[in-house]
Amino acid sequence: MVASPEMYLTPEEYLQMEEKSDIKHEYIDGYVYAMAGALDPHVTVAGNLFALLRNDVRGTGCRVYITDMKARIESLNRYYYPDVMVTCDQRDRETPAYKRFPCLIVEVLSDSTEAFDRGDKFADYQTLETLKEYVLINTKRQRVECFRRNDEGLWVLQSYTAENKSFRLHSLDFEATIADLYENVEF
């Protein structure tokens, strides 16, 4: 991400700007940050997961979004673009430009965003009361990290690799193979 600190915007101004912009920007406390494009493995993994999840939630009332849908964290004055996001909350149908009540957020890691995805962004996402699972997917090797909110509100990590053969997303009662997730990805 590239900071644009000279331009302070209200959330409303940001949404208006973003609707007309050719470049996506994330929004943090009044400042916008341009997002870079992604490489083939990143796009392929995100697309594979979207297709797998879309088929799985069909007819359940849940919706799967990829790349272009914003997640709003109202309490922190933030808008992010997760790589994949799922919401099953009917209140999210009221806001076509962003979603506030996701149960699952997935970030596909890249060199330029990994530290932020693991650190501050994850901390921000944890404030979403409806979020049950935060998933990080590696594009340099087959590795899926699932952070799950347990009954005590703590985030517990479960990692999956090629040796596991499959991975599970508890938030949606979903299971798929690692091979399907990484189909057509070259390391």
Side-chain angles (χ1 to χ4, degrees):
M1 290 191 299
V2 178
S4 299
E6 72 282 350
M7 186 180 356
Y8 179 86
L9 300 173
T10 66
E12 295 78 19
E13 291 169 330
Y14 162 73
L15 290 172
Q16 288 174 356
M17 179 201 81
E18 200 65 3
E19 193 173 312
K20 298 172 187 156
S21 178
D22 293 334
I23 301 168
K24 292 189 306 186
H25 301 84
E26 293 191 322
Y27 177 89
I28 301 174
D29 236 3
Y31 295 98
V32 296
Y33 299 84
M35 297 181 64
L39 299 177
D40 186 289
H42 185 283
V43 174
T44 302
V45 166
N48 288 346
L49 182 60
F50 172 82
L52 292 166
L53 290 174
R54 176 65 186 106
N55 286 333
D56 191 68
V57 303
R58 185 172 272 125
T60 67
C62 296
R63 295 196 177 178
V64 183
Y65 298 95
I66 188 169
T67 309
D68 287 334
M69 181 55 70
K70 291 177 283 301
R72 180 171 187 194
I73 306 172
E74 213 163 351
S75 64
L76 299 176
N77 198 22
R78 311 265 194 275
Y79 289 88
Y80 292 127
Y81 281 97
D83 290 310
V84 177
M85 174 173 52
V86 179
T87 179
C88 301
D89 195 305
Q90 293 297 314
R91 295 174 290 179
D92 273 331
R93 295 190 183 202
E94 300 167 8
T95 52
Y98 57 85
K99 304 303 169 197
R100 294 180 296 156
F101 308 103
C103 60
L104 170 68
I105 291 179
V106 179
E107 296 289 357
V108 179
L109 299 175
S110 64
D111 289 341
S112 62
T113 64
E114 182 171 359
F116 185 57
D117 290 344
R118 289 183 180 283
D120 289 344
K121 189 182 267 190
F122 182 30
D124 291 349
Y125 282 147
Q126 289 177 48
T127 66
L128 294 168
E129 291 181 15
T130 57
L131 188 64
K132 298 176 184 174
E133 210 159 22
Y134 180 61
V135 178
L136 298 173
I137 302 177
N138 198 306
T139 56
K140 294 183 177 174
R141 62 179 185 267
Q142 294 183 347
R143 183 176 175 83
V144 178
E145 297 172 69
C146 297
F147 293 89
R148 297 186 181 106
R149 193 186 315 248
N150 68 14
D151 294 337
E152 291 84 42
L154 302 174
W155 289 88
V156 179
L157 169 64
Q158 182 169 6
S159 296
Y160 300 93
T161 62
E163 291 78 37
N164 297 108
K165 304 285 188 224
S166 66
F167 67 100
R168 185 163 185 71
L169 302 177
H170 292 201
S171 57
L172 299 171
D173 194 24
F174 170 82
E175 188 168 345
T177 68
I178 296 286
D180 285 345
L181 178 64
Y182 284 97
E183 182 180 359
N184 295 323
V185 175
E186 296 178 17
F187 296 97

